[in-house]
Amino acid sequence: MEKHSGFMREAIALSKINVENATGGPFGAVIVKDGKVIAKSANLVTTTNDPTAHAEIAAIRLACKELNTFTLEGCVIYTSCEPCPMCLGAIYWAHLDKMYYANTKKDAADIGFDDAFIYDEIDLHPAKRKLMSEQILNDEALTIFEMWTKSREKILY
């Protein structure tokens, strides 16, 4: 457990530095493979003007670049807070083996980072969501899916 605590303290330290320097939200993430830190990042949303630059996403991007792969099987992520829906989705897509987190999503909501509305929206039919959505050109887009299905060059992920 001590090794896990060390990696988590590193993620928490990244979040602390972000708050002290006013360079982003109070979030940090560290990705480890075979007991070695592969990538780490704090939240970069406000410094990069990128709403997807959460600590977990930024760390995943760095780890994939470092390992030259689109899958992080064999890796573990330590994040200073339970991930938002976007980051949780990215963690699943990256195929990380395990996630450790410190603060909970309730802790985050208590300081203004409340993602409950996104979880609620996901369960709704697209026509009932707050984000106006309308399906168009499905037939044209399906032809590309058919091409993908038949392609011998595709790489599954």
Side-chain angles (χ1 to χ4, degrees):
M1 188 52 126
E2 187 58 37
K3 68 177 178 174
H4 299 302
S5 297
F7 294 132
M8 183 58 76
R9 285 190 180 98
E10 198 165 344
I12 293 168
L14 289 166
S15 67
K16 181 181 181 198
I17 290 167
N18 238 22
V19 172
E20 290 172 341
N21 295 333
T23 52
F27 306 100
V30 173
I31 296 178
V32 174
K33 182 171 185 162
D34 299 327
K36 179 183 171 204
V37 174
I38 301 301
K40 58 185 176 179
S41 184
N43 177 287
L44 303 171
V45 171
T46 58
T47 54
T48 61
N49 293 320
D50 179 354
T52 69
H54 291 198
E56 298 91 339
I57 301 279
I60 287 169
R61 289 173 179 161
L62 290 170
C64 287
K65 186 174 183 179
E66 175 67 23
L67 297 174
N68 194 32
T69 183
F70 56 83
T71 179
L72 296 177
E73 292 174 23
C75 296
V76 175
I77 189 166
Y78 298 82
T79 179
S80 65
C81 187
E82 188 175 3
C84 74
M86 176 183 68
C87 292
L88 184 60
I91 289 166
Y92 275 103
W93 279 115
H95 300 283
L96 286 145
D97 288 0
K98 189 164 185 175
M99 173 180 69
Y100 292 91
Y101 63 92
N103 292 322
T104 67
K105 61 185 177 184
K106 182 187 179 317
D107 296 330
D110 289 346
I111 63 163
F113 294 93
D114 191 355
D115 299 323
F117 78 97
I118 297 174
Y119 287 106
D120 294 342
E121 288 280 300
I122 288 170
D123 285 338
L124 296 175
H125 185 278
K128 302 226 184 254
R129 294 179 183 154
K130 288 182 177 85
L131 176 64
M132 298 291 287
S133 302
E134 182 178 343
Q135 183 180 25
I136 62 172
L137 300 178
N138 179 237
D139 291 340
E140 289 182 34
L142 278 176
T143 63
I144 309 308
F145 278 13
E146 291 170 15
M147 286 175 59
W148 168 259
T149 302
K150 295 174 185 173
S151 174
R152 293 179 186 191
E153 304 300 319
K154 68 182 170 218
I155 299 171
L156 298 176
Y157 57 95

